[in-house]
């Protein structure tokens, strides 16, 4: 028997069985009844028990009186007792209820979860309002008892009350409520003082008894608790303990433990850090990360990584006996684990991590009860996805703030450094972000330059300025002849001097000097108020024509800029599109720069893609790809030339460098640079080679209609001759090949080159179905293929 737990109460409790007694009397129709005779000797059962001792004294009689409500045949099945709603007064238990409380232990106190004095008082008042005043207040919420088993598993029981045997009776102290009073109460749930004013303590009598029935809602309740806790933004010991407790309730295993392992697809690794905090993992034990292929067996790898299905082992000793070399099984057994379930956390086909459930006893976890996870997984998946997204956003913020926007091929290493930073910051430790370096990578450099772009730009500026100055000479001479202005002889002389200078050529500051002179000395003369028509209209027309966007005096410069823009856009679109295709075959770092044309740099090697198993064949394929895409850019620009305002051509160059180098991301400059003194030679060649001449001549090494390939070793020339033959047989390059030495440059000597013609008339790149993969398939006789 349990005692009341709320003493601040609007009710005087009169525990009575009068309704049952009256029913019994109506059935017997006045005929003498042994049970009624016994009850007659105990009037408190009818009038109301006011002392707990009276319940104990009449325990057997009460049990006989309530036998129809507590049929013996159901006593081991039902969880039922006599109670007063919301109070701790519970007695006349069924055997199952009694066994549950006995297993919980003598020290256990039964209390309604999350139900305080305020809620109790308002619920009691609402009971009065509904029963006496006829309101229909839905004041109830799901109520639960959390009761541990003998093994320590906390089970959750939903409480249901049957109040059919209760009466609500006002005393002299009861306050009579008006409709306005009831409305005021309904609108002021939080004002406990108001409720106590309208329902003073002990002003009503609650006579009778209620039946309390429980049903085991442990699974559903555990899922709800899990869902609530998963909304927490913190991952730590408290959340770990809550999740352990919830899963123990779901699987009814008192010492079940839960672990989690994150999955990084880009690196093919498992990890133990989530949101920058370390989480418990039985797969990795004390490691921060490890290769998935090293952690998992073939069977578990297939289930979890490829098929995204549960992997359950019910008897680890038996499993290990069949497969003694199984690393993951041995590792789990060393931690005292006898059965386990590994469950993939998958969102939209993407594996996010592995949920680990482990038990120290065999057969407690198996492929059958693994299906219980079907209810839990949607919440786990959404939560893990949300938290991983939050963490990724933090990582990207660190990268953006401290590095820059990065190519996907190297982003993984920056993410790893950002994770270390966040992890240390979360622990309250100082951490300085390291510079990111990639060693032993092979560089590929190429450029497609617009030929004579500087000369063409100077010519366009020169022609525009000449037209502008000549127009001003005409206007100024007319104003001078009409005597509209005086003293214009010096201005006219200066303008004619500009014409002479422009005829000879243009210097770096010519444009700026002329514009400054016009604004200071000429425009004030043209803006005088006394200028009359028709010359005033000519002056107005002049000022319209100095508009850079639409004016006649910028026409040549606009044609130049438009030509440059169209060519660059075409070259970049080809390079970026083809680059996206080739990344699928072997990841590598790629960057490009837009100048008067387009430069690009590629770096390939194991350090950029550790899981890719790089070999020299990958470098050869990329070199062939570079030659092919350079030829495509040449051909497409040639076809574009007809619609360009200025019919400019391009020259192309590829630099071959066979020695591996190191690149390092410079934190101060926010870009990759060559690392190490020896590797600087590569950077020096890159910067000086495009303006070099053929040795012993004044001819540039690059030429329109051809691709120049610069090398230093005979083996490199032989390799590129193979690539040239491939593209010649495909009709992309011509049979014209030149071999020559390159003049010595500052700090660079011994370079050679070969120059091969581009077949502008090829139809290879015209088809919408064209792809580089098809090119390689067509060349089936060639050993190099994608």
């Amino acid at each position: 028997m349990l005692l009341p737990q709320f003493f601040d109460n609007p009710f005087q409790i009169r525990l009575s069985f009068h309704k049952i007694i009256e029913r019994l009397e109506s059935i017997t129709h006045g005929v003498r009844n042994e049970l009624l005779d016994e009850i007659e000797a105990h009037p408190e059962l009818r009038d109301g028990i006011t002392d707990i001792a009276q319940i104990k004294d009449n325990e057997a009689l009460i049990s006989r009186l309530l036998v129809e409500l507590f049929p013996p045949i159901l006593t081991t099945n039902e969880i039922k007792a006599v109670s007063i709603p919301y109070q701790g007064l519970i007695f006349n238990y069924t055997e199952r209820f009694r066994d549950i409380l006995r297993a919980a232990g003598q020290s256990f106190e039964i209390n309604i979860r999350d139900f305080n004095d305020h809620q109790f008082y308002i619920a009691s008042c609402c009971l009065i309002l509904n029963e006496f005043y006829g309101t229909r207040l839905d004041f109830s919420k799901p109520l639960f008892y959390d009761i541990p088993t003998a093994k320590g598993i906390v089970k959750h029981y939903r409480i249901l009350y049957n109040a059919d045997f209760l009466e609500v009776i006002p005393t002299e102290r009861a306050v009579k409520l008006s409709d306005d009073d009831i409305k005021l109460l309904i609108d002021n749930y939080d004002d406990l003082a108001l409720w106590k004013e309208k329902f003073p303590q002990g002003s009503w009598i609650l006579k009778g008894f209620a039946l309390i029935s429980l049903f085991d809602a442990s699974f559903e309740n555990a899922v709800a608790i899990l869902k609530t806790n998963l909304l927490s933004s913190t991952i730590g010991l408290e959340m770990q303990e809550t999740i352990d407790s919830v899963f123990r309730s779901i699987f009814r295993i008192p010492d079940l433990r839960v672990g989690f392992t994150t999955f990084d697809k880009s690196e093919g690794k498992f990890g133990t850090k989530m949101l920058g905090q370390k989480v418990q993992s039985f797969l990795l034990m004390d490691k921060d990360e490890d290769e998935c292929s090293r952690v998992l067996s073939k069977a578990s790898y297939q289930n979890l990584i490829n098929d995204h299905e549960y992997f359950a082992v019910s008897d680890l000793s038996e499993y290990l006996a069949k497969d003694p070399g199984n690393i993951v099984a041995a590792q789990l057994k060393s931690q005292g684990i006898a059965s386990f379930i590994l469950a993939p956390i998958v969102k939209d086909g993407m594996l996010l991590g592995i949920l680990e459930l482990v038990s120290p006893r065999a057969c407690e976890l198996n492929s059958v009860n693994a299906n219980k996870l079907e209810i839990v997984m949607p919440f786990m998946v959404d939560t893990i996805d949300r938290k991983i997204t939050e963490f990724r956003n933090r990582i990207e913020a660190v990268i953006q703030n401290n590095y820059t926007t990065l190519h996907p091929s190297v982003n993984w290493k920056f993410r790893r450094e950002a994770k270390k930073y966040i992890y240390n910051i979360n622990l309250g430790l100082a951490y300085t972000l390291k510079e990111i370096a990639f060693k032993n990578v092979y560089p590929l450099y190429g450029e497609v330059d617009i030929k004579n772009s500087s000369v063409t730009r100077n010519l366009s500026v020169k022609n525009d300025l000449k037209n502008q100055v000549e127009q001003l000479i005409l206007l100024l001479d007319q104003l001078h002849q009409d005597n509209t202005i005086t003293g214009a002889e010096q201005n006219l002389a200066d303008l004619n001097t500009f014409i002479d200078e422009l005829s000879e050529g243009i210097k770096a500051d010519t444009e700026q000097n002329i514009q400054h002179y016009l604004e200071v000395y000429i425009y004030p003369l043209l803006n005088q108020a006394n200028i009359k028509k028709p010359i005033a209209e000519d002056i107005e027309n002049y000022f319209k024509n100095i508009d850079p966007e639409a004016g006649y005096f910028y026409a040549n410069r606009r044609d130049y800029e438009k030509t440059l823009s169209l060519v660059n856009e075409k070259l970049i679109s080809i390079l970026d599109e083809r680059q996206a295709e080739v990344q699928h075959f072997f990841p590598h770092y790629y960057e490009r720069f837009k100048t008067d044309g387009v430069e690009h740099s590629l770096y390939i090697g194991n350090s950029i893609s550790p899981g890719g198993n790089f070999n020299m064949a990958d470098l050869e394929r990329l070199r062939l790809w570079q030659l092919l895409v350079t030829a495509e850019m040449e051909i497409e620009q040639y076809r574009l030339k007809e619609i360009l305002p200025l019919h400019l051509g391009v020259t192309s160059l590829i630099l071959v460098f066979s020695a591996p180098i190191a690149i390092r991301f410079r934190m101060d400059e926010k870009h990759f640079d060559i690392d190490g003194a020896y590797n600087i030679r590569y950077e020096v060649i890159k910067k000086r080679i495009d303006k070099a001449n053929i040795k012993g001549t004044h001819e540039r090494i690059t030429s329109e209609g051809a691709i120049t390939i610069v090398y230093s070793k005979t083996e490199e020339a032989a390799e590129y001759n193979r690539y040239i033959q491939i593209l010649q047989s495909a009709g992309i390059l011509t049979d014209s090949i030149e071999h020559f030495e390159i003049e010595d440059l500052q700090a660079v000597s011994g370079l050679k080159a070969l120059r091969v013609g581009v077949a502008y008339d090829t139809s290879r790149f015209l088809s919408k179905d064209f792809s580089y993969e098809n090119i390689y398939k067509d060349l089936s006789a060639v050993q190099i293929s994608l």
Side-chain angles (χ1 to χ4, degrees):
M1 182 187 306
L2 301 170
L3 300 178
Q5 59 195 41
F6 296 108
F7 296 97
D8 194 4
N9 195 334
F11 288 122
Q12 299 174 31
I13 304 297
R14 298 286 186 268
L15 181 61
S16 167
F17 301 95
H18 65 286
K19 287 193 174 184
I20 292 291
I21 295 171
E22 290 168 0
R23 180 177 179 279
L24 187 58
E25 288 173 338
S26 68
I27 293 173
T28 59
H29 301 290
V31 178
R32 188 176 179 81
N33 181 281
E34 183 181 344
L35 181 58
L36 287 174
D37 288 345
E38 288 186 57
I39 291 170
E40 199 66 32
H42 299 278
E44 66 271 16
L45 296 181
R46 184 191 298 267
D47 298 333
I49 295 172
T50 56
D51 189 339
I52 297 296
Q54 293 174 314
I55 300 175
K56 190 170 182 65
D57 293 342
N58 294 294
E59 188 172 358
L61 183 56
I62 292 171
S63 179
R64 288 168 56 203
L65 180 61
L66 301 178
V67 70
E68 289 187 8
L69 299 176
F70 292 84
I73 197 171
L74 297 177
T75 191
T76 58
N77 180 269
E78 293 183 330
I79 311 172
K80 190 161 69 171
V82 174
S83 178
I84 296 295
Y86 316 124
Q87 295 277 9
L89 178 62
I90 307 174
F91 63 96
N92 200 61
Y93 310 99
T94 60
E95 284 301 318
R96 185 178 176 192
F97 201 160
R98 195 183 306 278
D99 289 343
I100 289 170
L101 293 176
R102 188 182 295 119
Q106 292 183 353
S107 62
F108 175 72
E109 295 183 6
I110 191 166
N111 290 301
I112 301 173
R113 182 207 303 161
D114 299 330
F115 195 68
N116 57 32
D117 292 1
H118 181 110
Q119 292 171 312
F120 165 74
Y121 207 96
I122 302 297
S124 299
C125 295
C126 288
L127 186 61
I128 297 169
L129 289 171
N130 285 355
E131 292 295 322
F132 194 81
Y133 287 97
T135 62
R136 294 183 179 180
L137 294 177
D138 184 8
F139 60 89
S140 63
K141 67 173 185 177
L143 301 177
F144 294 91
Y145 286 138
D146 300 321
I147 306 175
T149 67
K151 293 182 177 180
I153 300 173
V154 177
K155 303 190 77 174
H156 310 285
Y157 295 92
R158 175 78 181 272
I159 303 169
L160 297 177
Y161 289 112
N162 182 339
D164 290 347
F165 306 99
L166 285 171
E167 282 186 282
V168 174
I169 306 167
T171 69
E172 295 177 353
R173 296 177 54 238
V175 177
K176 188 174 181 180
L177 302 180
S178 65
D179 290 342
D180 289 340
D181 290 330
I182 295 173
K183 188 175 186 305
L184 183 64
L185 289 168
I186 291 173
D187 291 336
N188 289 278
Y189 175 88
D190 294 326
D191 190 348
L192 184 57
L194 173 65
W195 286 84
K196 287 186 175 182
E197 176 191 329
K198 302 301 182 183
F199 297 96
Q201 188 171 347
S203 60
W204 290 77
I205 294 172
L206 185 64
K207 184 179 180 181
F209 71 94
L211 297 176
I212 180 172
S213 296
L214 308 182
F215 75 86
D216 189 348
S218 297
F219 188 91
E220 295 82 358
N221 201 249
V223 171
I225 293 172
L226 178 66
K227 185 177 180 181
T228 300
N229 280 274
L230 288 176
L231 293 174
S232 168
S233 60
T234 59
I235 293 177
L237 181 60
E238 184 178 345
M239 186 175 182
Q240 178 71 53
E241 291 174 349
T242 300
I243 291 175
D244 283 349
S245 175
V246 166
F247 277 96
R248 285 167 185 170
S249 292
I250 292 172
F251 285 88
R252 301 183 180 183
I253 300 173
D255 46 3
L256 179 144
R257 290 179 292 167
V258 182
F260 182 74
T261 303
T262 62
F263 175 69
D264 189 329
K265 184 179 180 180
S266 64
E267 297 188 53
K269 288 184 177 181
F270 285 142
T272 59
K273 291 177 182 175
M274 183 176 177
L275 286 183
Q277 296 178 339
K278 193 174 179 68
V279 294
Q280 179 174 256
S281 170
F282 302 102
L283 286 175
L284 296 182
M285 296 177 66
D286 56 349
K287 297 177 184 175
D288 287 338
E289 61 179 28
D290 204 348
E291 302 284 343
C292 299
S293 56
R294 189 159 47 228
V295 173
L296 299 176
S297 64
K298 288 184 178 179
S300 57
Y301 190 97
Q302 181 65 32
N303 275 51
L304 297 168
I305 307 299
N306 295 336
D307 298 339
H308 297 166
E309 295 177 352
Y310 300 150
F311 183 74
V313 172
S314 61
D315 191 329
L316 188 53
S317 295
E318 184 180 309
Y319 182 81
L320 194 55
K322 294 178 180 177
D323 186 9
N326 193 304
I327 298 173
V328 65
Q331 184 167 290
L332 292 173
K333 187 171 177 60
S334 71
Q335 299 173 72
I337 295 167
S339 59
F340 66 86
I341 298 171
L342 301 179
I345 305 292
V346 180
K347 177 76 170 181
D348 298 329
M350 182 74 68
L351 180 64
L352 305 178
I354 306 295
L355 179 68
E356 311 163 354
L357 305 181
V358 302
S359 169
R361 287 169 295 279
C363 299
E364 285 194 334
L365 292 171
N366 49 68
S367 63
V368 176
N369 61 10
N371 287 280
K372 287 187 174 185
L373 290 172
E374 295 291 343
I375 303 296
V376 179
M377 273 307 188
F379 309 124
M380 294 293 295
V381 168
D382 288 343
T383 299
I384 298 299
D385 179 55
R386 186 179 72 253
K387 292 187 181 299
I388 286 177
T389 299
E390 291 171 1
F391 188 43
R392 283 174 179 164
N393 290 339
R394 289 184 66 186
I395 291 172
E396 290 303 318
V398 171
I399 291 173
Q400 290 290 336
N401 291 336
N402 296 278
Y403 299 108
T404 185
T405 302
L406 301 165
H407 190 263
S409 61
V410 297
N411 204 31
W412 64 270
K413 197 163 188 176
F414 289 85
R415 286 201 309 271
R416 178 185 289 181
E417 185 64 20
K419 287 178 184 177
K420 292 179 182 178
Y421 173 82
I422 294 170
Y423 179 65
N424 281 274
I425 293 301
N426 286 343
L427 293 176
L429 303 175
Y431 187 83
T432 303
L433 286 162
K434 308 296 189 298
E435 286 188 334
I436 304 297
F438 296 94
K439 297 180 179 179
N440 295 319
V441 295
Y442 290 88
L444 293 85
Y445 173 77
E447 61 181 41
V448 179
D449 277 342
I450 298 174
K451 188 179 181 182
N452 296 325
S453 60
S454 297
V455 173
T456 305
R457 184 190 185 281
N458 289 341
L459 184 61
S460 65
V461 172
K462 170 184 167 181
N463 290 336
D464 282 342
L465 289 176
K466 190 174 180 182
N467 291 337
Q468 183 178 358
V469 173
E470 286 176 345
Q471 181 64 28
L472 282 172
I473 290 173
L474 293 175
L475 291 174
L476 215 60
D477 187 57
Q478 189 173 350
L479 290 171
H480 179 64
Q481 291 180 13
D482 294 346
N483 296 319
T484 305
I485 59 173
T486 57
E489 294 86 351
Q490 184 59 50
N491 299 120
L492 287 168
D494 292 340
L495 292 177
N496 279 299
T497 300
F498 285 142
I499 293 293
D500 293 339
E501 292 176 357
L502 289 170
S503 298
E504 295 176 2
I506 190 169
K507 299 178 183 177
D509 60 350
T510 299
E511 182 178 6
Q512 183 178 357
N513 289 339
I514 291 176
Q515 294 297 347
H516 177 73
Y517 179 85
L518 299 182
E519 290 171 5
V520 174
Y521 298 104
I522 304 301
Y523 293 164
L525 298 176
L526 301 182
N527 288 323
Q528 291 182 20
N530 59 343
I531 299 177
K532 299 178 181 179
K533 294 181 180 181
I535 192 162
E537 294 175 349
D538 294 337
I539 292 172
E540 182 181 355
N541 189 51
Y542 167 83
F543 280 111
K544 287 181 180 179
N545 282 321
I546 63 172
D547 176 18
E549 299 297 325
Y552 169 71
F553 299 135
Y554 281 85
N556 290 292
R557 277 169 284 189
R558 284 198 304 275
D559 285 346
Y560 171 78
E561 295 296 340
K562 186 175 181 180
T563 299
L564 202 68
S565 176
L566 290 172
V567 172
N568 279 340
E569 286 175 8
K570 187 64 175 180
L571 298 178
I572 287 170
S573 67
I574 295 171
L575 190 59
D576 286 350
E577 182 180 348
R578 299 309 182 195
Q579 172 59 206
E581 289 179 13
V582 79
Q583 280 289 346
H584 293 301
F585 298 107
F586 196 93
H588 55 275
Y589 180 69
Y590 158 70
E591 61 182 3
R592 60 162 170 77
F593 304 97
K594 183 169 66 173
T595 55
D596 289 354
V598 177
E599 300 176 22
H600 68 269
S601 291
L602 312 171
Y603 300 97
I604 187 171
N606 258 334
S607 62
I608 288 179
S609 183
N613 298 318
F614 168 80
N615 58 54
M616 294 306 292
D618 297 308
L619 175 61
E620 292 176 353
R621 279 188 282 269
L622 194 59
R623 283 176 169 173
L624 175 55
W625 170 88
Q626 183 188 33
L627 181 59
L628 181 56
V629 78
T630 303
E632 183 181 4
M633 287 191 286
E634 276 265 4
I635 292 167
E636 291 300 328
Q637 193 279 333
Y638 178 81
R639 292 169 179 163
L640 179 69
K641 188 187 295 187
E642 294 181 5
I643 63 171
L644 294 175
L646 303 176
H647 299 319
L648 299 180
V650 295
T651 61
S652 299
L653 178 144
I654 291 174
L655 172 62
V656 185
F657 199 85
S658 295
I661 64 172
I663 57 174
R664 180 180 297 274
F665 188 87
R666 304 296 181 187
M667 297 286 287
D668 52 346
E669 300 178 10
K670 306 294 185 188
H671 69 84
F672 276 103
D673 205 351
I674 303 302
D675 190 39
Y678 173 77
N679 298 326
I680 293 299
R681 171 179 164 83
Y682 171 73
E683 196 66 25
V684 170
I685 297 173
K686 263 176 57 177
K687 291 180 178 178
R688 297 176 181 170
I689 194 62
D690 63 326
K691 299 296 189 292
N693 291 330
I694 297 174
K695 193 170 186 177
T697 73
H698 296 291
E699 180 187 350
R700 288 283 178 87
I701 63 172
T702 56
S703 173
E704 188 175 353
I707 299 173
T708 301
I709 301 168
V710 177
Y711 63 93
S712 57
K713 299 178 181 179
T714 305
E715 296 86 349
E716 293 168 347
E719 179 183 339
Y720 272 83
N721 272 318
R722 279 196 299 137
Y723 305 153
I724 290 170
Q725 290 171 15
I726 292 171
L727 300 187
Q728 284 174 333
S729 64
I732 294 171
L733 298 180
T734 69
D735 293 335
S736 170
I737 302 179
E738 301 173 78
H739 296 266
F740 51 79
E741 295 182 3
I742 300 174
E743 66 180 355
D744 291 345
L745 307 173
Q746 184 179 354
V748 178
S749 61
L751 294 178
K752 301 176 182 178
L754 54 86
R755 196 161 61 187
V756 58
V758 178
Y760 286 139
D761 58 348
T762 183
S763 60
R764 272 287 183 178
F765 303 105
L766 291 176
S767 171
K768 292 182 180 179
D769 298 326
F770 169 80
S771 74
Y772 280 19
E773 189 172 2
N774 290 334
I775 284 283
Y776 287 108
K777 287 178 180 177
D778 291 346
L779 304 172
S780 55
V782 182
Q783 290 183 349
I784 295 178
S785 66
L786 286 176

